[in-house]
Amino acid sequence: MASPWNRQANTAVKLTAELLDIAVGSEEKPVRESGIFVGGHGDWEGTADGGTIDVTTLRTGEVHTDGGIMPGTPDLISGGVFVITGANVEKVDSVGRVTTYGQNDMVLDNWGNVGTWTASEQVASHGPSGIAFRQLRRHRRARRAGPDPDDGQGCARVQPV
């Protein structure tokens, strides 16, 4: 897992980054848990209450993950590319294929603040209750095609734009 995560409770602790060409896992060997995870200090309801991370560009290569979440677990998720509370990202470019294989695996997931998010390759979820793109927080613009059915139970796939 690649995870620039500011876990400092002090609000004065601010990280800045440009994160380029990050790839994780492979089709044959997906990484376990979340793939690319960017966040600051905060709670899971979206309240940033400490250190933050400001990212100009997050550009991802190919990402393959399996969160390893047991079936029937309603309160856990995993993400292929996951921006969480306390993260402010100007631009996310998912230029490689992003695929998740497990239960409750979100492919592209935003809980932070993202300016634009572009997926230019296939984005697919193969596990039960997986979602190709989920938006919980502020987002100015996302570029992608609409979801199509995939081969997993309760899954969706997004084609390139």
Side-chain angles (χ1 to χ4, degrees):
M1 171 170 61
S3 50
W5 188 5
N6 186 349
R7 297 174 63 181
Q8 298 299 313
N10 185 338
T11 58
V13 179
K14 299 185 184 303
L15 303 177
T16 59
E18 180 179 45
L19 306 167
L20 304 176
D21 304 322
I22 301 171
V24 250
S26 67
E27 194 170 345
E28 299 77 32
K29 262 190 127 166
V31 70
R32 200 67 145 162
E33 299 181 0
S34 286
I36 300 170
F37 184 92
V38 180
H41 192 276
D43 64 27
W44 294 108
E45 270 122 40
T47 305
D49 61 1
T52 58
I53 183 166
D54 295 326
V55 177
T56 54
T57 302
L58 167 59
R59 186 172 61 222
T60 68
E62 202 158 300
V63 176
H64 295 270
T65 68
D66 182 339
I69 299 170
M70 296 301 296
T73 306
D75 58 347
L76 291 177
I77 64 168
S78 172
V81 181
F82 205 170
V83 176
I84 68 160
T85 304
N88 304 296
V89 183
E90 288 178 32
K91 178 173 66 170
V92 179
D93 286 327
S94 299
V95 298
R97 188 173 69 175
V98 182
T99 308
T100 62
Y101 301 92
Q103 169 84 27
N104 300 354
D105 286 353
M106 310 300 119
V107 184
L108 307 177
D109 200 351
N110 178 27
W111 292 36
N113 294 310
V114 173
T116 60
W117 194 318
T118 303
S120 55
E121 287 294 327
Q122 184 185 61
V123 176
S125 172
H126 296 289
S129 300
I131 297 174
F133 187 85
R134 189 166 74 149
Q135 169 64 32
L136 294 180
R137 297 290 176 252
R138 187 169 64 86
H139 200 121
R140 287 194 305 268
R141 193 170 115 191
R143 293 181 51 207
R144 62 182 177 78
D148 295 317
D150 205 351
D151 59 355
Q153 174 189 355
C155 300
R157 175 178 56 212
V158 178
Q159 292 296 329
V161 292

